[in-house]
Amino acid sequence: MTAHRPSDFQIRFPEQRQLYYGGGWHAARNGQVRPCGSPATGESYGEASYADPDDMRAAIEAAHKAFPAWRDTPPLERARQLRQIADILRAHKEELALVDAADSGNPVAAMLKDVDIAVSQLDFFAGLVTEMKGDSIPMGPDAVNFTVREPLGVVGRIVAFNHPLMFCAGKMAAPLAAGNTVVMKPAEQAPLSVLRLLELIDGILPAGVLNVVHGGVDAGAVLASHPLVAKVGLIGSVPTGRAVMTGASGTLKDVMLELGGKNALIACADADVEKTARGIVAGMNFAWCGQSCGSTSRAFLHEDIHDAVLERVVDLCGAFQPGNPADMATTMGALVSKSQHERVLGYIRKGQEEGARLVCGGKVPNAPGLENGFFIEPTVFADVTPDMTIAREEIFGPVLSVLKWSDEARMMSAVNGVEYGLTCAIWTRDLVRAHRLARQADAGFVWVNKSGAHFLGAPFGGVKQSGIGREECIGEMLAFTREKNIHINLD
């Protein structure tokens, strides 16, 4: 395949840089704006409006006003409109992916896949609108008793910066399909692809059904605590999840939290060396510079295959070369911001201070053209012990910790000995062992001889501090409904 250079495509940034609610564009009420720019090149992309709490309240009120009509819209008509949005994403796939890459720092080749995922989620939930079914409960000949599912009302969704377009387009699908109106708070670090999407789909949904407000912590706090918001969902860090849950508690609203992870990959003595090494590298999501909550950032390698797998992992890391995100040949992007860059470099220093052995990476690349970006090489530490900081805390960067094991019980104790429980990957040829370890793993999503992949229709979510609820499945849509019982006396 011939690599496309940035000059092959013209990046079409959004003309509208304001907040979108009530079917129209609005400047922030206090006039506040934030600069937009590339975390890879330092290039400026202008400014975008930045909401304060009053802007968020206005968006919530617009969604509340629009809810009754959207609730009463026939489900198949709601589905038709979601599919129309999906068709627009398909038609503008390269354009949206390129804006996403330029603004977020992730490679355009990866962001093309993000558009595909968003399209599939819109189509998936559009196809499930007739599955919000109730039950009949037998009461004898003198009564009819049944349940119905109803939408909740206004749903707030707060999403992260690592997949800006995919999270916004994909995470609006389930609540909209269920008949809710949505107030979306996208990532403040990378707003441009979402704004361009809104330009393209403006007018498809009735005014106020979808509202998108970029802002900071104060705006998010309003979305979590506002009495007109029936449920709030978050994709973000554990501390942010705790703050959202605290804000939601004042009105006893339900929450859906997809939070961080310090995910384990377990390689048993019988695992294939080459496949395991490739699984480790795939699970680390190096293309996103490791900025993924599902990254398997702790690799537990059995002592019999430890050295061979580690050597191969280092070789495979060479395929990830940081570069201009708008170049189709780029295989690794930049970290999203200066603060995140400094944070990850701090963890690398901490790993060395605590005695881990730096096997590869750990530096800021000095290749021409990268001097203004927030890049870090793929980094692998060996001789890591479970008590080390880099083995316990989520780094959200391209840093892999490798731990050697021989005793299964002690290894599983270390695997489960963190506050997180999002994903786990198990590599073995032994079916009995695979089932045993999968059962023992404190994680909401487990792969066997696979790493990193999501499967639409399969519930994704964590346990412990990694979150509440399940997404990417029919359960996600049903979670945006409530069950009502109706009893009819026939006597």
Side-chain angles (χ1 to χ4, degrees):
M1 177 179 174
T2 302
H4 295 286
R5 299 294 166 180
S7 57
D8 293 340
F9 301 121
Q10 181 178 1
I11 303 179
R12 184 173 179 178
F13 290 113
E15 296 179 8
Q16 291 286 355
R17 301 295 181 94
Q18 298 182 325
L19 313 174
Y20 183 84
Y21 59 87
W25 298 93
H26 306 269
R29 296 188 176 196
N30 62 4
Q32 189 175 2
V33 295
R34 277 187 59 139
C36 303
S38 169
T41 67
E43 182 181 358
S44 173
Y45 299 143
E47 298 175 331
S49 290
Y50 194 68
D52 70 4
D54 286 338
D55 296 304
M56 183 60 78
R57 292 186 189 99
I60 292 168
E61 289 165 4
H64 178 68
K65 181 180 178 181
F67 171 65
W70 185 245
R71 173 197 61 201
D72 295 340
T73 300
L76 290 175
E77 173 57 23
R78 296 199 298 261
R80 185 194 67 78
Q81 294 179 36
L82 290 178
R83 289 194 178 98
Q84 188 176 351
I85 293 171
D87 288 341
I88 289 174
L89 265 73
R90 286 189 189 92
H92 294 267
K93 175 180 173 178
E94 287 184 345
E95 172 191 341
L96 290 167
L98 201 56
V99 176
D100 221 10
D103 198 27
S104 71
N106 295 319
V108 65
M111 306 322 279
L112 287 166
K113 297 176 183 177
D114 270 16
V115 180
D116 289 338
I117 292 170
V119 167
S120 67
Q121 290 183 346
L122 286 160
D123 283 339
F124 177 74
F125 287 110
L128 289 176
V129 293
T130 59
E131 296 306 306
M132 292 177 289
K133 299 172 180 176
D135 299 300
S136 62
I137 299 95
M139 293 284 168
D142 296 329
V144 174
N145 188 288
F146 61 96
T147 63
V148 294
R149 287 197 172 271
E150 300 176 336
L152 301 174
V154 178
V155 167
R157 301 215 80 170
I158 303 169
V159 295
F161 59 75
N162 48 333
H163 300 279
L165 178 79
M166 184 186 84
F167 281 156
C168 185
K171 297 309 174 185
M172 71 183 182
L176 289 178
N180 303 278
T181 53
V182 171
V183 179
M184 183 77 64
K185 182 185 167 307
E188 58 188 282
Q189 299 93 335
L192 296 181
S193 62
V194 175
L195 291 170
R196 180 60 188 140
L197 170 66
L198 291 169
E199 286 182 336
L200 292 169
I201 68 173
D202 185 25
I204 293 177
L205 297 167
V209 169
L210 174 64
N211 310 274
V212 181
V213 180
H214 295 89
V217 173
D218 290 345
V222 171
L223 189 57
S225 62
H226 200 287
L228 292 181
V229 175
K231 182 166 184 167
V232 62
L234 167 74
I235 300 175
S237 68
V238 170
T240 304
R242 292 173 181 149
V244 166
M245 197 168 186
T246 299
S249 68
T251 52
L252 297 180
K253 64 170 59 72
D254 196 10
V255 295
M256 178 177 285
L257 306 176
E258 200 267 87
L259 306 179
K262 192 64 180 176
N263 309 295
L265 183 147
I266 302 167
C268 299
D270 64 340
D272 180 271
V273 168
E274 179 67 18
K275 291 179 179 178
T276 301
R278 291 186 178 276
I280 290 170
V281 172
M284 264 306 299
N285 296 300
F286 281 125
W288 279 269
C289 215
Q291 297 174 116
S292 175
C293 57
S295 293
T296 47
S297 56
R298 294 183 297 155
F300 290 80
L301 306 184
H302 191 276
E303 62 182 5
D304 290 355
I305 61 171
H306 175 277
D307 293 351
V309 172
L310 179 60
E311 180 181 3
R312 190 69 185 111
V313 166
V314 172
D315 292 340
L316 292 170
C317 283
F320 293 92
Q321 297 296 323
N324 188 332
D327 189 335
M328 280 294 292
T330 294
T331 53
M332 185 176 183
L335 291 159
V336 74
S337 66
K338 180 180 180 180
S339 61
Q340 182 68 6
H341 191 248
E342 292 173 347
R343 180 176 180 271
V344 174
L345 289 174
Y347 273 108
I348 292 172
R349 290 192 296 271
K350 191 74 169 176
Q352 293 173 301
E353 291 167 1
E354 292 183 358
R357 174 166 57 96
L358 184 64
V359 179
C360 72
K363 301 186 296 298
V364 176
N366 58 6
L370 304 184
E371 54 275 357
N372 295 321
F374 304 123
F375 295 101
I376 296 178
E377 297 171 337
T379 300
V380 180
F381 280 103
D383 301 338
V384 177
T385 57
D387 60 309
M388 291 182 180
T389 303
I390 59 172
R392 300 191 64 81
E393 297 183 10
E394 185 182 34
I395 298 173
F396 220 66
V399 181
L400 170 67
S401 297
V402 177
L403 301 90
K404 184 186 293 187
W405 69 276
S406 58
D407 181 87
E408 184 178 297
R410 292 180 61 187
M411 178 270 294
M412 286 305 298
S413 177
V415 165
N416 293 331
V418 294
E419 66 177 359
Y420 304 98
L422 188 55
T423 72
C424 179
I426 299 163
W427 290 78
T428 180
R429 303 178 194 183
D430 186 324
L431 183 62
V432 173
R433 181 184 291 118
H435 278 282
R436 181 175 66 248
L437 296 180
R439 186 181 67 252
Q440 293 175 0
D442 272 347
F445 198 92
V446 178
W447 298 280
V448 175
N449 297 328
K450 189 80 175 176
S451 302
H454 290 220
F455 311 99
L456 191 56
F460 183 85
V463 300
K464 299 195 290 189
Q465 298 292 303
S466 286
I468 297 170
R470 296 294 180 264
E471 299 182 321
E472 303 172 17
C473 60
I474 190 172
E476 179 180 355
M477 185 179 68
L478 296 180
F480 292 106
T481 67
R482 61 190 178 201
E483 199 170 29
K484 175 185 285 184
N485 184 262
I486 300 174
H487 182 88
I488 301 175
N489 182 20
L490 299 178
D491 185 6

